[in-house]
Amino acid sequence: MAVSTVFLVILGVLQYVQLSTADTPANCTYEDIKGTWKFLIGPRGNDNTVDCSKPFTPVSTYDVILEFPDVAYDNQGQRGFWTLIYNQGFEVVINDKKFFAFSAYKNDSGKIIDYCEETFPGWVHDINEKNWACYNGVKQQATFTPKHHVPYTKPNQVFDSERKYKHNAKFIEAINVVQTSWVAGRYAGYEGMSLRDLHQRGGGRRSARAYPRPAPITKYQEEISGQLPDEFDWRDVNGVNYVSPVRNQQSCGSCYAFGSMAMLEARTRILTNNSRQPVFSTQDAVSCSEYAQACEGGFPYLIAGKYGEDFGVIEESCFPYTGKESPCKKTKCRRHYTTDYYYIGGYYGACNEPLMRMELVKNGPVAISFEVYSDFQSYKGGIYHHTGLQDHFNPWEITNHVVLVVGYGQDKASGEKFWTVKNSWGEKWGEKGYFRIRRGTDECSMESMAVAVTPVV
């Protein structure tokens, strides 16, 4: 098929789908994405300021085969790598080039129509960050049959986004009655907040059930992880703290930016033996990155990793946090770059508990996405697990929340294993801004999609 013909096919479908400022609700699986793709590439030779939101005419094509779960080949037999990014898009690294785009979809009055055989306009560049161009992807031999789904909502659950939160003493009492691992309590600061604001703080509404199961644990992983210490915490390694202070994202759905910057801050401290202790700008990621959706959500793979490598991050003093979708601020401040970003295990879906501990001890804290339920909002201390209870007085939808795992351990009295996690809801929440959560059971999908990134120092 000629370049112009294929491009017209893409335009014929994409006229029905539009990029959105909301967290992309696409729900595309490995089964949808694997196969043969044709990438239609616009004029090359640009830098990272190329605007791919504008129409472009493809001048070349590139065919690639994506095999499950992470191997890519081009039509000349060159081997590369690819990974899903949650259920939102995919990245391909092959022939000294990097391709990334979000999967296409249409929001039809709340009903999502997925066009997983296509992508929205994305970005391609050489691995040395030169020769940027825009591209579209279209899956070959695809039927172009759209899938329909609605954003995930629990059965019989009604969500009124503008309704104000009200303290529910019976709900908190019920949490404390049904289990003894953790303690729930009242947060006066929630009073008067809209349910929308609370959901945004929790990471935003989920598009669909997309967390993979942790990968099977191999004998080698068991042996290596068995040599690790029984407990470890980057806040106290021989009396030295390598973790930056807890911050507060407020009601903006910017947890992905806070989790990403917290990981880069901690790993920079580790690599420099605390001689450098930066606090990086979360607002820069919220306001400026096209790899995320501002206050509507995003992913650490794309922010700490890809955005950090392609554009760099700046320090907080250069673009202070506003807690809202402020315009992008053009600055001449120094940019700090990242490299070697990856899902732990190598690709989306390859993570598990031993691999997380190995990465944590060897290289530093890791960013994770997990499921937030209504009972988590009331966490005060202890080792959290979801009770199964719902606060029907304050209707709640499961959200995607990004946080930073800084350590692990085991309760001496109960024997219960836990992760130690840095949140971004301020120091007055939980255990001085932190929480502990069950380890080794994939509690709330904690062990399914952890991300690691290496700062350039």
Side-chain angles (χ1 to χ4, degrees):
M1 188 179 290
V3 172
S4 58
T5 304
V6 176
F7 191 57
L8 287 174
V9 171
I10 290 179
L11 288 179
V13 178
L14 288 185
Q15 65 179 320
Y16 298 107
V17 294
Q18 299 177 356
L19 285 171
S20 170
T21 56
D23 187 12
T24 88
N27 182 28
C28 299
T29 66
Y30 267 117
E31 193 64 31
D32 297 321
I33 303 300
K34 70 178 184 179
T36 301
W37 285 76
K38 184 177 290 291
F39 295 157
L40 296 96
I41 307 169
R44 292 172 61 81
N46 301 288
D47 60 18
N48 62 8
T49 63
V50 62
D51 186 355
C52 294
S53 66
K54 297 179 179 179
F56 66 92
T57 300
V59 297
S60 64
T61 64
Y62 188 75
D63 295 332
V64 61
I65 300 172
L66 307 180
E67 294 186 348
F68 178 82
D70 66 336
V71 177
Y73 292 97
D74 65 15
N75 55 8
Q76 297 179 342
Q78 296 190 76
R79 181 182 172 119
F81 161 82
W82 78 284
T83 184
L84 276 181
I85 301 169
Y86 196 53
N87 58 354
Q88 312 281 282
F90 59 96
E91 183 177 52
V92 181
V93 184
I94 190 169
N95 194 21
D96 293 333
K97 297 178 179 62
K98 285 191 174 184
F99 297 83
F100 164 69
F102 288 107
S103 295
Y105 68 91
K106 175 187 176 183
N107 189 333
D108 184 9
S109 300
K111 179 182 292 184
I112 306 303
I113 305 175
D114 299 307
Y115 294 87
C116 297
E117 299 93 347
E118 305 164 27
T119 73
F120 283 125
W123 302 264
V124 56
H125 57 78
D126 296 344
I127 58 173
N128 63 2
E129 299 294 328
K130 295 182 179 180
N131 291 318
W132 283 64
C134 304
Y135 84 99
N136 283 111
V138 58
K139 191 175 180 181
Q140 302 300 283
Q141 299 177 339
T143 61
F144 295 99
T145 301
K147 299 191 306 178
H148 295 72
H149 76 277
V150 294
Y152 178 73
T153 304
K154 281 208 164 187
N156 303 319
Q157 184 173 346
V158 179
F159 175 57
D160 181 355
S161 64
E162 299 308 317
R163 178 175 171 177
K164 300 298 183 181
Y165 175 91
K166 294 183 179 180
H167 175 63
N168 187 348
K170 291 184 178 180
F171 179 59
I172 292 175
E173 179 183 3
I175 293 172
N176 291 326
V177 167
V178 299
Q179 54 78 43
T180 58
S181 294
W182 61 282
V183 176
R186 176 185 179 185
Y187 285 100
Y190 292 174
E191 304 291 335
M193 290 182 67
S194 70
L195 295 184
R196 170 183 166 79
D197 285 346
L198 281 173
H199 278 71
Q200 290 291 87
R201 203 176 72 125
R205 185 178 184 178
R206 289 194 345 173
S207 60
R209 291 185 177 274
Y211 283 90
R213 295 290 184 185
I217 299 172
T218 67
K219 183 177 180 180
Y220 172 77
Q221 292 167 0
E222 285 184 338
E223 292 176 352
I224 298 300
S225 62
Q227 300 172 21
L228 297 174
D230 292 336
E231 58 183 35
F232 190 87
D233 194 323
W234 279 106
R235 295 174 299 173
D236 183 6
V237 179
N238 298 321
V240 179
N241 176 23
Y242 292 93
V243 181
S244 55
V246 171
R247 301 180 65 190
N248 192 341
Q249 71 184 76
Q250 302 170 35
S251 59
C252 171
S254 53
C255 57
Y256 66 93
F258 281 85
S260 295
M261 297 308 126
M263 176 168 56
L264 298 181
E265 290 159 4
R267 290 190 168 214
T268 298
R269 290 181 176 215
I270 293 165
L271 288 171
T272 64
N273 196 27
N274 261 340
S275 63
R276 286 179 52 193
Q277 299 186 11
V279 175
F280 293 123
S281 171
T282 51
Q283 193 64 48
D284 177 67
V286 169
S287 296
C288 302
S289 177
E290 294 182 81
Y291 299 158
Q293 289 74 46
C295 279
E296 302 292 336
F299 299 93
Y301 182 93
L302 293 176
I303 296 303
K306 188 166 181 60
Y307 183 70
E309 183 174 89
D310 290 349
F311 297 90
V313 300
I314 59 178
E315 297 193 26
E316 174 69 12
S317 58
C318 191
F319 194 175
Y321 187 62
T322 66
K324 57 185 178 181
E325 296 184 4
S326 304
C328 181
K329 179 180 178 181
K330 302 299 182 182
T331 75
K332 295 183 179 180
C333 296
R334 175 190 173 187
R335 294 222 162 239
H336 304 260
Y337 291 89
T338 64
T339 186
D340 193 24
Y341 55 94
Y342 49 92
Y343 284 110
I344 291 173
Y347 57 88
Y348 175 79
C351 186
N352 60 34
E353 188 266 353
L355 288 175
M356 284 178 62
R357 284 194 291 124
M358 286 188 275
E359 175 67 31
L360 176 74
V361 173
K362 181 180 178 181
N363 296 318
V366 299
I368 64 100
S369 300
F370 78 113
E371 299 173 314
V372 171
Y373 296 84
S374 57
D375 59 357
F376 182 76
Q377 293 279 338
S378 300
Y379 171 89
K380 286 286 188 176
I383 301 174
Y384 172 81
H385 66 274
H386 176 43
T387 61
L389 300 175
Q390 298 180 56
D391 186 357
H392 295 288
F393 192 62
N394 297 289
W396 181 264
E397 295 175 356
I398 301 175
T399 60
N400 297 318
H401 190 44
V402 178
V403 289
L404 186 73
V405 179
V406 303
Y408 62 86
Q410 184 172 2
D411 185 80
K412 293 179 173 57
S414 66
E416 193 168 20
K417 296 179 180 180
F418 61 83
W419 297 108
T420 302
V421 189
K422 179 184 179 183
N423 203 353
S424 53
W425 293 351
E427 293 183 343
K428 294 182 180 180
W429 182 89
E431 298 179 335
K432 297 182 178 180
Y434 288 80
F435 67 96
R436 288 174 291 158
I437 188 170
R438 278 182 180 172
R439 172 169 62 91
T441 61
D442 194 34
E443 182 65 42
C444 298
S445 301
M446 276 285 298
E447 295 157 4
S448 66
M449 50 185 290
V451 170
V453 176
T454 302
V456 176
V457 299

